[in-house]
Amino acid sequence: MAKIAFILLCHKDPDAVIKQAQRLTAAGDCMAIHFDANAPRAEFESIRAALSDNPNVTFARRLRCGWGEWSLVQATLNAVRAAADAFPRATHFYMLSGDCMAIKSAQYAHTFLDRRDADYIESFDYFKSDWIKTGWKDERLIYRHWFNERTQKKRFYAMFNLQKRLGLTRDIPADIEVMIGSQWWCLRRRTVEWILDFCKQRPDVLRFFRTTWIPDETFFQTLVRHLVPEQEIESRTLTFLLFTDYGMPAVFHNDHYDLLLSQDYLFARKISPDARDLKRRLGLLYAAEGVRFEISNEGRSLFTFLTAKGRIGRRFAPRFWETESSLGRDRELLILVCKKWNVARRLVQRTREVTDVPCIEYLFNEASCELPDLGGIQSTVEKRHRHRRALMRMLYEYYDSNRLLICLDPANLDLIEDFCRDRSVSRVLEVECQYTDDDLVGHALRVGLAGESTPKPAIERLLPTIRNDMVLESDQLRDAELEHHLRIRQVDSPELNARALGAFLSVSEDKARELATADHLFAD
């Protein structure tokens, strides 16, 4: 059975540190605490006194730590050495901060770690991966960084600029392939012992990392990949954490309890200091027995869905080769916009029966959409977006028609506006449906916002967000004030919808009425 030695790096809130240590050791696990030497000594002594009679807690030699410095790695090494010496029966070493809390029971965590003999640590190629989204990359490694960028900004950049001007770069140790990833890892005892031995044997590697920038994202990640066979490494963290577009960790609150428990992780970071009820419930969880966890793992996609709302219409900026291109001045593009894809498909099928307009379903949303072979430009959804106007011109030519009907999801406002700015004539027909809760649940499952195992309370809290999002998409489409924007609505009469369909398709009144009165047009 796995026995975890937690490596806790913290710098504040002694009461929270004490409670965290008591909770995590109550189930038989152990902990080594490094309390930042920048914090008052009295706070450290209060922690030490409160935990003095707990045989499953030990303390590491304290250092003054700074963000982005080697001191964070050295503090981790101090805590790892202390844990390895004090707890010889520990099988795994798990990195935590004071802002982390368990989102699974100890029973679940031990079973999870016993299931596979592996190290859990993000470990991606430093130069080939896109783990670093913005800012310095090579500069972190090839220049020496002696000062802290946050507390000694002038010295930090002065030394960097001096090295850059004089060309004082350095080589990475020849046998080391630098990796990068999250600092929150879980390593086996054997791996930890190999790392500690490596540190004694290779002072050159330690000298290199001591003057790199943000080494807590590269040191352990590099050494594990250097020392451990690849098949024994799971390149992931077991701590659930999300980052905003500004590079700041997302914070979890009281209403995130069910969401956190359903994620495929053992811990979560960061828990809001004000989330007292969440802390209380998670605090009771680790020592609980017999708890069943339904893993749906929709947290990351849900976060992406919610935060991406601020950038609708900007996901696909015009490419230079598209700027002057056009679908053709004499061509007509009919855009059927509907959130209920089954309703749109039903209307498209009826349109095929009563008109000769070539109709293509959700080609910019579904990879499986049936398209002719156009030389590979149609092969992926990404390519279709990237070369959208070229793709459409090829479709006009393939069907030998100046009229074409396509289906788009209302979320594709950027595409709708782009096509409507073209020299061709574009008409938009918005199909407005009524949505039951079952419809919204089905949508959440289809786009990955929920899974089959997502708890019902979590889904119920998600439904208002999805419903409001659909209303917002419709409002944004109307706010775009497109020249030929028509609507049919489930709540309107067939006669009213027939007028809109006739104008959209340029068909006779009889054919439009035939479409509008089709059986089960809006049915689920």
Side-chain angles (χ1 to χ4, degrees), residues 290-336:
V291 181
R292 293 187 60 190
F293 297 91
E294 299 290 341
I295 306 300
S296 53
N297 217 31
E298 77 284 0
R300 199 168 299 281
S301 59
L302 176 58
F303 182 76
T304 301
F305 165 74
L306 293 174
T307 55
K309 292 298 102 181
R311 292 190 302 281
I312 289 179
R314 301 188 181 275
R315 285 168 296 171
F316 301 98
R319 271 62 175 186
F320 71 89
W321 60 81
E322 299 278 9
T323 304
E324 296 301 324
S325 64
S326 170
L327 303 186
R329 193 180 296 275
D330 298 325
R331 285 172 171 163
E332 187 176 354
L333 180 63
L334 308 177
I335 305 173
L336 181 60

Side-chain angles (χ1 to χ4, degrees), residues 44 187 228 262 305 355 357 389 425 445:
F44 173 68
L187 303 178
V228 178
S262 64
F305 165 74
T355 74
V357 179
R389 293 197 182 189
V425 176
L445 292 171

